[in-house]
């Protein structure tokens, strides 16, 4: 602790298996899917749906989420880079002149699946459920979406927790006396890995960041790193409340029988939270410079909020 503020410098890699790194972010994604499986299984049992069909539904959901999230990041936020690095769009690698992939492929390094956009994930899941409902006509798309949003909402919390461990999607600069102010020592803008290595002369990135945090010789460097809002935690904690609200409406009311209500409520709540958190979040790039006023995340959230309002407030069919 530093006054009321936090120094945040975790190693994003939990452990390594040869060239493959197991990161907290990837582990938390797996946790979100595992918990989602448990919740949707309980929902299927409650509605007396065949549990056997969960396997295919789970597969559709995972593929749609990951593919949508990845393509969303590529096209919404970083197309300027990926248009010249097409091979990196669907592979967990990144170009690095000094890198050596699996010890034999030079010029690349293993990064894990970094660079995922929640707006893309949402679109991917909607498309995935449409395709699933076409293959299994007994399941209407709105019925599926009304149930899937319950586990998705808590899964979103784990994803944002993973962002926090990765020191990514950090907030804007704030005063160090602010109760939630966090000094992200590994912030890619404030202290990129290359600069940390150059300043400390350490041989590894982890050692370099640890030296900045703990070695008195680098106290001035540590002091120069600003405190920021932990925007990931603001967003993630709010998603827990979204999960609680959706769970209440599903288990304690008959709102699940109004097609699209839970789906619409999810869209309204989750993207409204995202819209307001963007005000304290560091720019993630994208097309905001050309449109101005709002961030890319805010512009992308508005259509989801409006669609959600339509499903929540439309009259229930007889």
């Amino acid at each position: 602790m530093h006054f009321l503020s936090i120094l945040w410098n975790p190693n994003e890699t939990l452990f390594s298996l040869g060239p493959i790194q197991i990161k907290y972010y990837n582990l938390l994604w797996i946790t979100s899917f595992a918990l989602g499986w448990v919740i949707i299984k309980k929902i299927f049992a409650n509605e007396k749906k065949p549990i056997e069909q969960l396997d295919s539904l789970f597969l559709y959901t995972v593929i749609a989420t990951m593919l949508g999230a990845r393509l969303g990041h590529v096209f919404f936020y970083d197309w300027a880079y990926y248009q010249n690095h097409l091979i990196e769009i669907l592979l967990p690698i990144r170009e690095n002149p000094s890198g050596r992939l699996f010890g034999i492929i030079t010029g690349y390094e293993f990064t894990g699946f970094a660079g995922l956009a929640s707006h893309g994930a949402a679109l991917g899941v909607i498309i995935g459920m449409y395709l699933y409902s076409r293959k299994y006509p007994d399941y209407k798309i709105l019925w599926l979406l009304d149930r899937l949003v319950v586990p998705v909402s808590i899964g979103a919390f784990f994803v944002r927790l993973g962002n926090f461990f990765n020191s990514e999607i950090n907030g804007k600069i704030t005063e160090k006396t602010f109760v939630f102010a966090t000094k992200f020592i590994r912030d890619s803008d404030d202290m990129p890995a290359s600069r940390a290595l150059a300043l400390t002369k350490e041989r590894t990135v982890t050692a370099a960041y640890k030296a900045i945090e703990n070695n008195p010789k680098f106290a001035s460097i540590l002091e120069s790193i600003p405190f920021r809002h932990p925007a990931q935690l603001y967003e993630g904690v709010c998603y827990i409340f979204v999960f609680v609200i959706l769970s209440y409406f599903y288990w304690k009311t008959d709102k699940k029988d109004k097609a699209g209500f839970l789906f619409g409520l999810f869209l309204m709540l989750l993207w409204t939270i995202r819209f307001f958190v963007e005000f304290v979040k560091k720019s993630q790039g994208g097309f905001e410079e050309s449109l101005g006023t709002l961030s890319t995340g805010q512009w992308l959230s508005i259509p989801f909020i409006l669609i959600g309002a339509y499903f929540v407030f439309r009259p229930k069919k007889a």
Side-chain angles (χ1 to χ4, degrees), residues 62-283:
V62 171
I63 293 175
T65 301
M66 299 303 295
L67 190 59
R70 184 58 176 164
L71 294 179
H73 173 78
V74 168
F75 293 113
F76 295 152
Y77 290 96
D78 211 4
W79 177 240
Y81 173 83
Y82 284 103
Q83 64 181 334
N84 299 315
H85 300 82
L86 298 178
I87 193 174
E88 298 177 23
I89 292 178
L90 297 179
L91 294 178
I93 61 175
R94 194 168 185 89
E95 188 175 301
N96 182 350
S98 60
R100 194 172 181 84
L101 190 63
F102 302 118
I104 55 175
I105 303 175
T106 59
Y108 289 93
E109 64 177 344
F110 181 85
T111 60
F113 284 104
L116 304 171
S118 53
H119 293 93
L123 290 173
V125 169
I126 293 171
I127 294 172
M129 293 308 97
Y130 169 75
L131 296 175
Y132 186 88
S133 66
R134 290 292 301 272
K135 185 173 182 179
Y136 301 98
D138 290 341
Y139 294 88
K140 304 299 182 183
I141 182 172
L142 286 179
W143 187 93
L144 290 166
L145 291 172
D146 281 335
R147 277 107 189 120
L148 275 181
V149 294
V150 179
V152 166
S153 58
I154 192 61
F157 160 74
F158 287 102
V159 173
R160 285 294 175 253
L161 187 59
N163 295 139
F164 184 66
F165 272 99
N166 270 8
S167 297
E168 60 187 4
I169 317 183
N170 300 326
K172 295 178 180 178
I173 294 174
T174 186
E175 296 295 327
K176 68 179 182 180
T177 53
F178 178 61
V179 66
F180 299 121
T182 304
K183 181 170 289 196
F184 293 95
I185 297 176
R186 298 179 182 236
D187 185 280
S188 59
D189 293 322
D190 299 330
M191 185 55 62
S194 58
R195 184 163 178 249
L197 288 168
L199 290 171
T200 62
K201 310 303 181 185
E202 295 285 351
R203 300 181 63 181
T204 68
V205 171
T206 296
Y209 284 126
K210 286 296 181 183
I212 291 173
E213 180 184 6
N214 300 311
N215 193 331
K217 183 170 67 172
F218 304 114
S220 61
I221 297 174
L222 178 62
E223 185 64 26
S224 69
I225 300 174
F227 285 93
R228 294 182 176 274
H229 286 281
Q232 320 95 317
L233 295 186
Y234 298 163
E235 201 171 334
V237 170
C238 288
Y239 291 162
I240 294 176
F241 289 102
V242 175
F243 169 71
V244 171
I245 292 169
L246 292 174
S247 296
Y248 170 79
F249 276 109
Y250 176 81
W251 293 104
K252 301 297 183 180
T253 75
D254 61 355
K255 289 296 186 180
K256 63 179 176 292
D257 298 326
K258 179 185 176 182
F261 177 85
L262 292 178
F263 172 59
L265 186 60
F266 167 83
L267 294 181
M268 284 184 62
L269 293 175
L270 187 130
W271 300 113
T272 297
I273 290 168
R274 175 66 181 272
F275 184 89
F276 284 104
V277 171
E278 287 284 324
F279 284 114
V280 297
K281 187 184 294 184
K282 186 171 62 174
S283 172

